Amino acid sequence: MQLDPAASAPAVDVIPFGGVGEFGMNMLLVSSGDTAVLIDAGVMFPEPELFGVDLVIPDLSALDAHRGKIKALVLTHGHEDHIGAIAHVIDRVDGPVYASEFTIALVEPKLEEHGIDYAKRLIAVSPRDRVDVGPFTIEFLRVTHSMPDCLALALHTPAGVIVHTGDFKIDQTPLDSEQSDLHRLAELGSAGVLALFSDSTNADRRGFSGSERDVIEGFEEIFSSANGKIVVTAFSTSIYRMQVVVDLAEQFDRKVAFVGRGMQQNSQIALRLGHLEIPGGVQIRDSEVGDHPPQDVVCLCTGSQGEALAALPRIAIDDHRHVKLLQGDIVAFSARNIPGNEKAIGRTMNHVARRGAEVVTDSDRHIHVSGHGSAEELKLMISLVKPRFFVPIHGEYRQLARHGRMARTVCPDSEVVMVQDGDVLRFDGRTARVVDRVATGRILIDGTRTGEIGDEVLRDRRHVAGDGLVVAIVAINAQSGALEQAPSIITRGLAADVRHEAMLKDAPAILARSIESAPREEQSDPGLLKERIRIEMQRLFRKRAGRRPLVLPVVMEV
Ligand SMILES: [Zn+2]
Ligand SMILES: [Zn+2]
């Protein structure tokens, strides 16, 4: 029998807390002995049926078993599904946060928003840097994705090298010319990699996802044919998309305005760090959009998912302070539809069309490419890294399973290990086995952004002594958008006192007035109306009772 020297090395456990078997909420713990490293701290966006909930993050109580052991948090890149939960997670980490410069710049405002002063704990790393954390050496490798400064990781552990791809595609012509570090991945592969944890998001797509550059032509067609204003909506982290639009604006003599908080904030960060270049005189403020003839302007807006508070949905119902849509304008949707958002996106498109503007999507012109690798890119990653064990992550089960089958054809010597959230996957030097399960779940973060509330809140808030639950039920006429009857308000878990009684008596009338004063299109749009009801009720309870209840708006169209 051959003796394997690694067999006597300490075991390494890997536990995904989120992102395996679902999209979003990526978080994974790697631990050995008395040291653990946490990779990513992401959120998932709430499904529409979780009314009143702003964010969904992994249940962090499972992390408490590792309290005092977690010596570092590593962030692969700056997307919300990787950094969005940082303010809730950072207290459970006893050490620095390592991330690229751009990722750190996106994290800072999140910590500030929560009044957390952790600036000293954020450490910027560059590709090919290495840091030591207990028995681990973490090596950072550049990968291409849909935003700048994204990292994959090579974790040198006592049981062997674990490669974690982060989110990636293999963009051979990235706009910033910063290519994936395929050389180092291949080097690691030929030296021997214990395990590869790889992004499965697009495992069910054939071919290659394509370069960020591929959208230039589609946008060129729009710019060369548009007679009115061009409004482009994209994710506020799509810095490459911003660059494409800015370059074309300069070429076609248009001014660029960033509209919506996320667009403004992120474009400024990207400018400051040199990831976005805007020639002098090209950028204008959103408040200046109306000062220029429509054919001289292009707006980059938030709201590609139809989010009620973002710029485009407000613009589309003619309720934006600075930007109006006119006959002949073009609104280009340059983002994927996150599953669950289709209805809200569709409604926004309807409003745009009602304004007389033209809706252009990826099915009309090639104006969006995915940031995640398709089958051929995933195969290339597997063949470069040649891992002993292959573990598909980032995806629902069908993408994970397909990615696993792919690995078996590319690298028949690799063993595919399928895991799901909460599995404790142990590498002991010889085998990789699920040895245990820890409880995982979701925590819903409500609109007040202060508290974390368990799933059960939506079933019965009566048991929660906190700020209670308010259900506001509004019946509107589907045709006219008018109120059919006075709104009714049901509360649970609110201690009754005199102030509350008076407030509850006034609440329906206050709500009715607010709804009647809403723009006509908002009245006939349940999504937008719910947002209004939620804000109105939260304001009322905060001002008159000092309470921050969870508000569930219910809009019935009759
Ligand atoms: Zn990403
Ligand atoms: Zn992601």
Side-chain angles (χ1 to χ4, degrees), residues 126-236:
S126 302
R128 296 265 180 143
D129 280 358
R130 288 162 163 258
V131 297
D132 292 326
V133 180
F136 302 112
T137 299
I138 309 168
E139 181 182 352
F140 304 93
L141 302 172
R142 183 182 298 288
V143 281
T144 48
H145 183 37
S146 51
M147 69 190 299
D149 237 2
C150 298
L151 297 170
L153 311 170
L155 271 100
H156 301 260
T157 80
V161 176
I162 295 176
V163 173
H164 183 293
T165 64
D167 285 358
F168 80 100
K169 66 175 169 181
I170 297 175
D171 187 339
Q172 310 212 56
T173 53
L175 278 160
D176 55 11
S177 305
E178 300 281 6
Q179 279 162 329
S180 296
D181 195 350
L182 302 180
H183 297 95
R184 182 63 187 141
L185 287 164
E187 219 168 65
L188 287 163
S190 49
V193 166
L194 175 71
L196 170 64
F197 287 71
S198 187
D199 175 11
S200 312
T201 308
N202 279 351
D204 44 17
R205 294 202 196 170
R206 279 181 290 121
F208 289 87
S209 288
S211 169
E212 289 296 310
R213 241 175 244 279
D214 294 353
V215 299
I216 295 176
E217 219 177 287
F219 276 109
E220 224 162 36
E221 291 163 6
I222 293 175
F223 273 79
S224 54
S225 64
N227 299 315
K229 187 159 58 265
I230 301 173
V231 174
V232 177
T233 185
F235 287 108
S236 61

Side-chain angles (χ1 to χ4, degrees), residues 77 79 81-82 145-146 167 372:
H77 66 289
H79 276 144
D81 56 326
H82 298 260
H145 183 37
S146 51
D167 285 358
H372 299 270

